Amino acid sequence: MKEIKIFSPATIANVSCGFDVLGLALESIGDEMIVRKTSEKGVKIVKISGQKLPLEVNRNVAGVAALALLKKANVTTGFEIEIVKKIKPGSGIGSSAASAAGAVWAINKLLGNPFSLIELVQFAMEGERLASGVAHADNVTPALFGGFTLVRSQEPLDIVAIHTPTDLYATVIHPQIEIKTADARKILKETVLLNDAVKQWGNVGGLISGLYTEDYDLIGRSLHDYIVEPVRAALIPSYAALKETAIKSGALGCGISGSGPSVFALSKGKETAQQVAKAMHNVYENTGIAFDIHVSKINPTGINILESN
Ligand code: HSE
């Protein structure tokens, strides 16, 4: 293979109770990337469509992640990257992660898979470091592994792929305002109350158990965040109304997607997820803020090849 075109999915990080550790991949939203081998060594970003982002390799998350991989690879060729950006930066559904994870996944494929998925996570995290100042792994991991993932430990990196119930759907509303992850992290408190931590780890355990046993009620009971959401909710216009209406419309739970402004709800079945989308639409149409809404199945496989030659 000399060239591949891939789909790199949008992702929802945190999933309410798992700040910086839980994430899931979406099926119907994502970027496309074309990566090809070149005789000239190094990495070049030759084209970005859909968004205005830097072509300079050192200033682009895909470029930085690709360089991190090439530093560890024994290669005589180089790579050219084209990005068809469909996920808006600052949307809260893993825009930087899709580019960083997509670049390293595609290069690894073209090299004949010398690196494991966990090594690819490590390279892609360098892109996250550039985007937000923190090399968090909770978006790049589900993009690379698919499904639900848990970053059990960041140092050393320990990743657990979690079973995804077959009938689980996500509804995501993206208000067209930008929240930079770096800014949304600055406002968080550095310490948590023991009482909140107890409730939070109860929910993380409950959510993981609910996902494995396909116990949708338990999943719903566990989708609460006592630590980060109370601080970040103020950044998202009409957040409380969105959440209330999503739950009333049958969602199992609703929370901030990553660092926002996107808000996600999880539902059992596509029909309920669509009802939730309609209800969220009704809440937002009078705010004067442009928005889009997606309904997506959880993506079981993560990044995939669209074309190759
Ligand atoms: N866990 C990160 C945060 C995800 O919430 O800051 C950013 O998408």
Side-chain angles (χ1 to χ4, degrees):
M1 270 193 299
K2 287 199 184 109
E3 176 179 312
I4 51 174
K5 182 174 181 186
I6 59 158
F7 169 80
S8 189
T11 46
I12 294 174
N14 302 339
V15 201
S16 293
C17 51
F19 178 69
D20 273 1
V21 299
L22 288 176
L24 64 86
L26 296 170
E27 198 164 76
S28 57
I29 323 163
D31 289 345
E32 287 172 10
M33 298 173 84
I34 298 157
V35 180
R36 66 181 71 89
K37 273 188 192 163
T38 55
S39 50
E40 197 184 323
K41 277 185 146 193
V43 182
K44 261 193 194 151
I45 299 175
V46 288
K47 193 174 165 194
I48 301 173
S49 52
Q51 294 293 326
K52 259 194 128 173
L53 289 165
L55 289 169
E56 294 99 304
V57 176
N58 283 311
R59 292 182 54 223
N60 184 293
V61 296
V64 167
L67 288 177
L69 181 152
L70 288 184
K71 229 194 255 174
K72 296 275 160 130
N74 192 7
V75 285
T76 49
T77 52
F79 297 89
E80 258 179 26
I81 302 174
E82 281 181 33
I83 308 172
V84 184
K85 204 74 203 135
K86 297 193 176 170
I87 315 168
K88 281 207 176 117
S91 57
I93 47 172
S95 178
S96 51
S99 297
V104 296
W105 191 89
I107 293 175
N108 192 46
K109 211 34 141 214
L110 290 171
L111 290 174
N113 289 327
F115 296 108
S116 66
L117 279 179
I118 200 151
E119 287 171 305
L120 297 185
V121 168
Q122 221 129 22
F123 302 139
M125 283 166 74
E126 291 309 312
E128 294 292 59
R129 194 192 303 280
L130 176 73
S132 68
V134 179
H136 63 93
D138 53 344
N139 287 105
V140 293
T141 303
L144 286 159
F145 280 71
F148 266 87
T149 53
L150 168 72
V151 182
R152 195 208 56 82
S153 152
Q154 227 169 299
E155 271 190 57
L157 197 56
D158 185 359
I159 282 163
V160 187
I162 309 288
H163 174 76
T164 304
T166 40
D167 216 13
L168 201 59
Y169 282 78
T171 307
V172 181
I173 177 164
H174 171 213
Q176 310 275 309
I177 53 170
E178 187 182 350
I179 295 179
K180 290 205 165 75
T181 296
D183 295 337
R185 293 181 81 89
K186 267 186 220 141
I187 60 170
L188 299 178
K189 297 178 193 138
E190 284 192 5
T191 54
V192 297
L193 293 174
L194 183 60
N195 200 27
D196 289 338
V198 169
K199 290 189 264 183
Q200 197 88 354
W201 58 55
N203 282 326
V204 174
L207 179 55
I208 302 286
S209 176
L211 290 169
Y212 272 106
T213 55
E214 308 217 354
D215 181 339
Y216 291 91
D217 285 341
L218 177 56
I219 292 170
R221 293 203 300 283
S222 307
L223 286 171
H224 297 288
D225 175 6
Y226 295 95
I227 294 172
V228 175
E229 183 192 281
V231 183
R232 286 183 171 168
L235 302 175
I236 303 165
S238 301
Y239 178 71
L242 276 176
K243 187 164 172 162
E244 193 189 327
T245 198
I247 306 287
K248 268 198 194 139
S249 309
L252 302 166
C254 176
I256 302 171
S257 177
S259 53
S262 288
V263 172
F264 79 96
L266 293 183
S267 300
K268 183 179 183 204
K270 196 172 182 179
E271 222 174 276
T272 307
Q274 279 165 339
Q275 273 168 27
V276 171
K278 224 188 255 169
M280 284 179 158
H281 186 283
N282 292 344
V283 169
Y284 242 70
E285 68 182 349
N286 298 321
T287 58
I289 300 168
F291 62 95
D292 42 47
I293 299 188
H294 309 273
V295 171
S296 173
K297 207 170 160 52
I298 312 304
N299 176 341
T301 49
I303 301 168
N304 63 281
I305 298 180
L306 298 173
E307 280 168 39
S308 67
N309 56 58

